[in-house]
Amino acid sequence: MKEDLDKFVVSLNKYITEPQNKHLQIEYRIKTVNDEIRWIRTRGMAIWDEEGNPIRVAGSITDITEQRLADEKIHRLAFFDSLTGLPNRALLMDRFSIAEANARRRGKSIAVFFLDLDNFKTINDTMGHTYGDKLLLKVGEQLRLKLRKSDTIARLGGDEFIMLQTNISSMDEVYKLAARMLNVFKRPWKLDEREFYVTASIGISIYPNDGTDLKELMKNADAAMYRAKEKGRNNFQIFTPELNMKIMERMEIENHLRKAADRKEFVLYYQPQIELATGSVRCVEALIRWSDPHMGWIMPEAFIHIAEETGLIGNIGEWVMSTACAQLRKWHDEGHDDLRISVNLSAKQFQQQDIFEKIMDIVEKTGIKPEWLELEITESLAMQDLEHTTSILSRIRDAGFGISLDDFGKGYSSLNYLKALPITNLKIDKTFIHGITSSVNQAKIVKALISLAHSMDLTVTAEGVESSAQLGFLLKERCDTAQGYLFSKPKPSKDINLSSYRTCVETCMEMTS
Ligand code: C2E
Ligand code: MG
Ligand code: MG
C-alpha cells in the first residue's frame, strides 16, 4: 500500500505545482478498518483565487473495486486457461515473441515442448469429465514445478500442454528437462481416494533450427509428439527433417486428394469372397484405389485416414457406394443374379446424421435391392458411440442390408461389440488367419471364434487367405466364406473372375483329407 500512497502524493504535488494541469485523476488502493483492500478513484479539479492560489478541490472519490475485479477477470479470460490457470495460446505467443527477441540477440535457442497425455480419453470416458479436469489441473501444477521462472507452460485445450524452455545453449539441457517431465508421470496420481497411472508423450522442436515462428515450431513439435506415440508412448522425440518429409508427403497427398474426385482419379478394385460349401462367389468386396498422375498408385491405407481427417471421406464414400452398386447392377444384368457386393464404411461417414437416408438414396437410384449390399464396419467405428452406432445399424439391418464386422481381432476385439452390435457377418482379420498354420493358440482362437459366431447366428468370413493349409483349416472348421490372394487379388471389374472357384476348394479338400 506504501507505493499507492507515494503515487497519490506525487500526483497531487504535480497537480498543484503545475497549474496548467486542469484535472486530477488518481487510482489507488486503501486498506479499510476491516483490513479489506479496496480500489479507489479520485477525480478533482482545483478552484483558484484571484491571485492564482489553489483554495480548494472539487471532485469525486469512487470505490472502483468491482470494476477493477471485472477488468482483471477479463484479462485472465483473455490470457489464461480457465481450467488450469496456466497461460493460454494468446499469452504463449506473447511470451514466445519476447523469448525469441532475447534468443536472437544473445545467439541462444528455445525448445518448444508439445506434451500430450496417453489415453486421456479413456480416463475421461471411464471416470467422468470432472475427474479428467481435476487430473489436468494436477498435471499442469506438477509440470510447472519442473520449469524455471523464465520458462512458460501453457495449455491449449484438451490434454495438450506446450512448454517453452528459453535461453538454451545445448541439447543436453533439453534432454534433461524432457526426462524431468516424464518423471512427473512415474508416480501414480491420487485423486478422490483413487490412485492410477497416466503417462505422456512429448515432441520437441528447436528454435531457430526447426522454425522461427511459434506456429511452425508447434507444428513440428506436434509431428515429433506423434512419433513418440508411434514409438509406444511414454517417451520424448526430437523433431527431425525426416519427420518433416513425412509432413510434406502428407500435405501433398491432402492437396491432391482435394482434386482427385473431380479429376476422376479413383477406381474400385473388386475381390471375391468365396462360399466354401459350394466354391461359388457369394460376394465381392469393393476396395478403392487412387491413381494420381504425379504420385502414381496410392493404396487406401495411405489416404483414407487423411480423407477422414479432412472431411473428404463423405464424398469419397458416396462415390464408392454408388459406383459399387452400379457395377453390381451391371453384373446382375450379365447374369450373375445371386452376386452381392460389400462396401467399407468409415467411422466418419457414420457420424453423418443422414447416413441411412444417403444409403437408401443410392440403392434406389442404382436399382439394387438392400439384400444385395453388405456394409463393412470396424470396431473403431463402433467404439466411437456405441448407442448411436447400434441404433443406426439396426435401421440399416432392418431395411435388409447385411452388416459385417471387419478386421475382427485387429484392435481391441471386445466380445462386447459382438454381442451389442446388430451385425450379420463376422470377418476375422488376416493376421489371425495367417497365424492359423504357425501358432497353435491362434488356430484355437479362430476355431473358437467361428463356433462362437455360429452360435450367435452370424456367418463368418476369413480374410487374407493365402495358402491351401489355411483354407484346409477353415474348411474343417466350417467357416462360411473366405477371401484372399489364394483365390484372387483385388482386380478391376473387367478382370475379376466371377465363376466358380470350386476346383480350388476341392483340390484343397483332397489335400487336407
Ligand atoms: P479391409 O476392408 O480389411 O480390406 C482387406 C484388405 O486386405 C485389402 O487391402 C485387401 O487388398 C487385402 N487383402 C486381401 N486378401 C489378402 C491376402 O490374402 N493377403 C494380404 N496380405 N492382404 C489381403 P486394401 O485394398 O489395401 O485396403 C486396406 C483397407 O483400406 C481395407 O481393409 C479397408 O479398411 C480400407 N478401405 C479400402 N477401400 C475402402 C473404401 O472404399 N472406403 C473405406 N472407408 N475404406 C476402404
Ligand atoms: Mg473390408
Ligand atoms: Mg478387413
Side-chain angles (χ1 to χ4, degrees), residues 105-120:
R105 216 176 34 244
R106 299 162 65 178
K108 299 273 178 130
S109 296
I110 305 169
V112 177
F113 288 65
F114 198 120
L115 182 146
D116 185 284
L117 298 182
D118 301 327
N119 294 328
F120 180 66

Side-chain angles (χ1 to χ4, degrees), residues 273 285-287 342-344 376-377 406-407 427 463 483:
Q273 295 173 356
E285 177 171 7
L287 294 158
S342 72
V343 171
N344 293 283
E376 297 198 4
I377 59 157
D406 202 356
D407 300 344
K427 282 187 89 171
E463 60 173 30
Q483 170 181 5

Side-chain angles (χ1 to χ4, degrees), residues 270-443:
Y270 299 91
Q271 190 180 31
Q273 295 173 356
I274 317 301
E275 187 168 64
L276 295 186
T278 58
S280 58
V281 179
R282 186 190 79 112
C283 187
V284 278
E285 177 171 7
L287 294 158
I288 194 168
R289 301 289 181 263
W290 173 21
S291 163
D292 178 88
H294 307 287
M295 296 182 285
W297 284 100
I298 305 167
M299 296 302 275
E301 263 152 9
F303 70 88
I304 289 287
H305 65 282
I306 301 176
E308 287 178 343
E309 283 158 30
T310 48
L312 294 167
I313 193 71
N315 286 342
I316 297 178
E318 278 173 45
W319 177 85
V320 169
M321 197 171 286
S322 318
T323 310
C325 290
Q327 180 59 53
L328 183 74
R329 177 79 255 174
K330 212 163 152 232
W331 277 326
H332 275 222
D333 292 345
E334 284 166 12
H336 302 281
D337 347 354
D338 292 334
L339 193 65
R340 305 170 75 227
I341 199 141
S342 72
V343 171
N344 293 283
L345 267 195
S346 131
K348 282 277 151 49
Q349 275 173 277
F350 230 76
Q351 283 164 3
Q352 300 170 339
Q353 287 304 319
D354 56 349
I355 180 76
F356 178 76
E357 287 73 20
K358 280 198 168 129
I359 296 172
M360 287 308 284
D361 192 44
I362 291 173
V363 164
E364 273 158 27
K365 277 199 181 124
T366 46
I368 72 159
K369 289 188 184 154
E371 295 82 65
W372 301 342
L373 179 61
E374 192 155 298
L375 302 169
E376 297 198 4
I377 59 157
T378 56
E379 278 168 280
S380 58
L381 180 154
M383 273 165 64
Q384 312 244 321
D385 179 352
L386 193 57
E387 214 172 296
H388 169 76
T389 312
T390 311
S391 89
I392 294 195
L393 283 181
S394 299
R395 280 180 80 192
I396 294 177
R397 191 192 56 181
D398 294 346
F401 297 94
I403 301 170
S404 240
L405 187 57
D406 202 356
D407 300 344
F408 194 78
K410 195 173 174 182
Y412 292 86
S413 303
S414 162
L415 291 178
N416 201 18
Y417 296 120
L418 214 51
K419 191 178 74 186
L421 295 172
I423 55 170
T424 51
N425 182 55
L426 180 74
K427 282 187 89 171
I428 304 179
D429 190 60
K430 46 184 173 289
T431 49
F432 269 101
I433 304 303
H434 295 169
I436 286 176
T437 42
S438 55
S439 148
V440 179
N441 278 341
Q442 296 223 22

Side-chain angles (χ1 to χ4, degrees), residues 116 160 201 203 221-231 243:
D116 185 284
E160 293 172 352
S201 301
D222 188 19
M225 190 274 291
Y226 268 96
R227 186 85 192 106
K229 296 256 180 207
E230 278 171 15
K231 288 221 161 179
L243 269 175

